[in-house]
Amino acid sequence: MNKLYHSMLKTLLFTFILSAFTTAQADDPPTMTHGPMLGQPSDHSMKVWARTSHPTPFSIHYDLSKENLEHTVESPKTEFAHDLTGVAELQDLEADSRYYYQVFIEGSPQGSINSFLTLPSVEGSRNEKYNPKGLFNFRFEAGSCANQNPLHGIGHSLPLYQTMLRELADDINFGIMNGDWLYEELRDTPVETWTAKNRLTEEKTPDIVRNAPSIVGVWENYKLYQSRGVPLAQWHRQVPSVFTFDDHELVNDIWGCGSAGRRHRRTVFRDIGIQAWFDYLGWANPTVSDQSAHFGKAQFIKGSKLLKDSKADFTHLPLDQMANLHVHWGTPNAGVNDIIYDDDSGNPNARVYDIVRVVDKHTLELSHAAVADGEASYSIGRRSYGTFRVSNCQFFLLDTKTYREMHDVKQPDKPGLTMLGKDQREWLLKEMRTSDAEFFFVVSSVPFMIPHSGAGGFEFDALNKEEAWVVFLEEREMLIDTWDEIGKPVFVMTGDLHNSFAIQVTDNVWEFCCGPHNSVNHVPELDEADRPITGHFQSGPRACNIRWSSYVLPDLPRLERLYPYYCVVQVNNVFNMPQKVGGKRLVAYPHPQVIFQYYEGRTGKLAYAEAISLPRKNEE
C-alpha cells in the first residue's frame, strides 16, 4: 500500500510539473534560438534558415536599405519533427545587390540586422556586341573539416572563420562547405532530455523521434556547434552556402551503406544523420528530388524476407527514386564516435537491405531474411545530390556516402564497385554531357587521387581503412576518361583530408582539395600514403602531378598540427570597359580563366594560386 501511495504521489507530482512547464511555455513568447543562416543564393532569391524556441512561423524583413526593411516574407510554422528549424525564401530580389535583413517573430525583432549579396544576372551583364552570353565574374570560398572539440585541436575560437569574416565576407558570392562541418558531440543525448527541454509529453513526441531516437543527439550536436562556434555562426549569417555531408555529419568512418547484407553500427546510422543534416544544413542545397527519407517500425519473422509495417503505405512511396533500406542498430549510443560501441549489440536484424519488391501497401520483400523475430526501426534513404548553375559554370554536389559499397584495400580495382551508385553516376554524366557550361565543378567530399588511409580505423581489420576514391578505381578511371572525352575543364573539389592540394590529373581534369577549416592536420607520411609535397604521384594506374600542397612533417605532436587553410575561387569571364569611368560595360574574355587561391587560415596570407583557362584554338 505504501509503494502504491508513493507511486501515485510521484505520478501526480510529475503531472503537476509538466503542467507548470506547459503553462510556462504557453506564456513565454517564442524566440529565435539559432541562426539565421543563408543558403542557395541566386540572382533573384535567397533562403534564410532559423530555429525557434516554440513551434511558430518567423518572418524575414528585408530591403536594399538598412534603415527601412519594408519587404517581408514568412516561413512555414516550425515543427518538433524538424527540431523547430525552418526556412523562408526571399524572391524577386534585384541582382548583384546588397540586401539587409532581420528575423522577426510575432512582430519582435530577433538578433541583429545582417546583409547578403545576390549574384549578378545574365540580363544585367549582357551586351550584344561584347558580351552576348551575359557572362559575369564571381567568387566563392571552398573548404572542409571544422572540428570544434577543444580536446582535439584548435577548439571553438575558429581563427580561420575570424580571418574569412575580416577578409572575405563582404566580397564573396557564396561558400561551399565540403563536408565535416560537424564532428560528433552530445550524440548520446537521451530522448527524455530532448523532450524535457521541449516540454513534450510522450504523446506529443514526433514520429521521427519515436522511430529514430538517436536523431536527438545529432540535433543537439548541431545546436552546440552553432552556439559555441560564434565566428562560424557570424559567417553563415553573412555568406550564403551550399553543403555536402561527409562521415562526421553521419558518424565517423561510415562505410558500405550501399552493400546489401552489411551489418555494422555505423553503416546503418546513415539516414538518421542525413535527416538531421537536412534540418540544419541540407535545406540550403538544390537536390534532384524533394522526396524525403521514409522512417518506420516494422515486424520481422526469423527466416522470412518480408518486412511488415502496419502504418506504412509502400505503394505510394517512389521507391525507384529512393535509396536502399537500412534496419537501425537501435542502441542509445548508435551515433557516438567511439570504437567501444563497435560490437554486435545492435538489433539482430540491423543491416543493409535491397528492396526486391512491394508485396502490398504494408509489406516489402527484402534481399535478406531476418535472423530473429521482433520489431525494429528502419529507414529507406533519399537522394541528396544536386546541381546548380552560375554563369558558364555548372556545379555538381555529390553524395559519396548513401550508395557507397564496401571497399577492399586489397582489391582497389574490383569490377563493378561503386561509390556513387548507378543512378547518381548516370545522372552526373548525362548532365555533364548535355550541359553547355564551359567549366564543371564536381564537389566530392572525399579525396580523388590521394589516399586517406590513416587517422583511425574501427573494423576488426583496421588496415582496411580508406576513405578516398583510390579504392574505387574502376569507377574513378571511368569518370576521368569520360570527362576527358567531354573535353571541358573539370575541377574535382574535395575535402576530408586535413590538408590542401592542387593536382593536375589530365589536361582537362584537376583536383583541388580545400581544408582543413579547423581540424588537426593529417601527416602525409602516415595518413596520405607518404605522398610528396609536390611532384609526381602514382595513384593506382594513373600518374598525377601534385602542383602544390600543404604539408605537415611527422615530428610535430598532434596538438601542434594546427594549420588551417581556405580556398577562394575566382571565375574571370569578363572585364569592365565602360565608355565613361564609373560606368559598366562588360567585355567577355575569349578564354575565361578560373583562379584557385589558397590562403593561410590564421593570417589570410596567400599561399598558392593556380590559374586555368579555356584552351586556345591552336591548343585544342
Side-chain angles (χ1 to χ4, degrees), residues 17 44 74 130 141 155 172 175 409 426 465 513 548 551-552:
I17 293 173
H44 63 276
E74 188 169 270
Y130 296 108
E141 185 272 334
I172 200 166
V409 297
E426 290 184 350
K465 159 84 176 185
C513 189
W548 170 86
Y551 198 91
V552 174

Side-chain angles (χ1 to χ4, degrees), residues 38 40 102 122 135 162 201-202 210 214 220 224 237 240 312 332 361 366 383 393 477 519 538 546 554 577 579:
L38 299 168
Q40 204 170 140
Q102 188 172 23
V122 172
L135 299 179
Q162 295 183 46
T201 63
E202 183 177 350
R210 297 175 187 274
S214 296
E220 294 300 305
L224 172 67
R237 286 197 288 269
K361 65 188 301 184
L366 304 179
R383 293 181 175 178
C393 299
E477 292 302 300
S519 301
Q538 190 68 32
I546 302 176
M577 185 54 62
Q579 292 178 308

Side-chain angles (χ1 to χ4, degrees), residues 12 362 406 473 480:
L12 287 171
H362 302 310
M406 190 59 206
L473 288 176
I480 294 172

Side-chain angles (χ1 to χ4, degrees), residues 230-268:
V230 174
L232 176 75
Q234 291 173 332
W235 172 260
H236 287 303
R237 286 197 288 269
Q238 299 180 57
V239 179
S241 296
V242 292
F243 303 86
T244 63
F245 53 80
D246 199 46
D247 54 347
H248 291 287
E249 279 85 5
L250 314 184
V251 62
N252 185 36
D253 288 349
I254 180 171
W255 304 334
C257 295
S259 291
R262 177 163 168 77
R263 172 175 169 82
H264 200 283
R265 171 178 74 92
R266 298 173 188 246
T267 301
V268 295

Side-chain angles (χ1 to χ4, degrees), residues 148-175:
Q148 288 187 29
N149 192 326
L151 300 177
H152 294 168
I154 297 174
H156 54 273
S157 62
L158 296 157
L160 174 141
Y161 280 92
Q162 295 183 46
T163 301
M164 293 201 304
L165 285 165
R166 182 181 69 247
E167 301 289 337
L168 290 179
D170 291 332
D171 190 30
I172 200 166
N173 295 103
F174 60 92

Side-chain angles (χ1 to χ4, degrees), residues 418-436:
T418 180
M419 180 184 289
L420 298 180
K422 180 182 177 183
D423 289 344
Q424 182 178 195
R425 185 178 66 230
E426 290 184 350
W427 162 82
L428 172 67
L429 294 180
K430 179 181 178 182
E431 290 286 327
M432 294 179 77
R433 287 187 178 112
T434 57
S435 174
D436 65 353

Side-chain angles (χ1 to χ4, degrees), residues 106-160:
E106 294 185 350
S108 298
Q110 307 290 308
S112 59
I113 296 175
N114 300 286
S115 70
F116 62 81
L117 187 65
T118 55
L119 283 163
S121 68
V122 172
E123 288 305 315
S125 304
R126 176 184 286 125
N127 67 73
E128 291 301 324
K129 184 174 183 180
Y130 296 108
N131 187 21
K133 294 181 180 179
L135 299 179
F136 53 83
N137 299 338
F138 65 96
R139 301 173 78 210
F140 66 92
E141 185 272 334
S144 62
C145 305
N147 195 342
Q148 288 187 29
N149 192 326
L151 300 177
H152 294 168
I154 297 174
H156 54 273
S157 62
L158 296 157
L160 174 141

Side-chain angles (χ1 to χ4, degrees), residues 10-79:
K10 185 177 179 180
T11 300
L12 287 171
L13 181 62
F14 176 77
T15 303
F16 172 77
I17 293 173
L18 184 62
S19 175
F21 276 155
T22 304
T23 302
Q25 183 185 35
D27 293 338
D28 290 344
T31 61
M32 179 178 69
T33 66
H34 298 80
M37 294 176 67
L38 299 168
Q40 204 170 140
S42 76
D43 59 352
H44 63 276
S45 65
M46 185 71 69
K47 288 186 176 181
V48 184
W49 173 98
R51 183 184 181 275
T52 63
S53 60
H54 309 334
T56 182
F58 59 85
S59 62
I60 308 299
H61 294 216
Y62 64 99
D63 215 313
L64 293 168
S65 169
K66 186 177 183 178
E67 285 70 34
N68 193 15
L69 305 180
E70 288 190 350
H71 301 285
T72 62
V73 63
E74 188 169 270
S75 76
K77 185 178 181 180
T78 60
E79 300 176 354

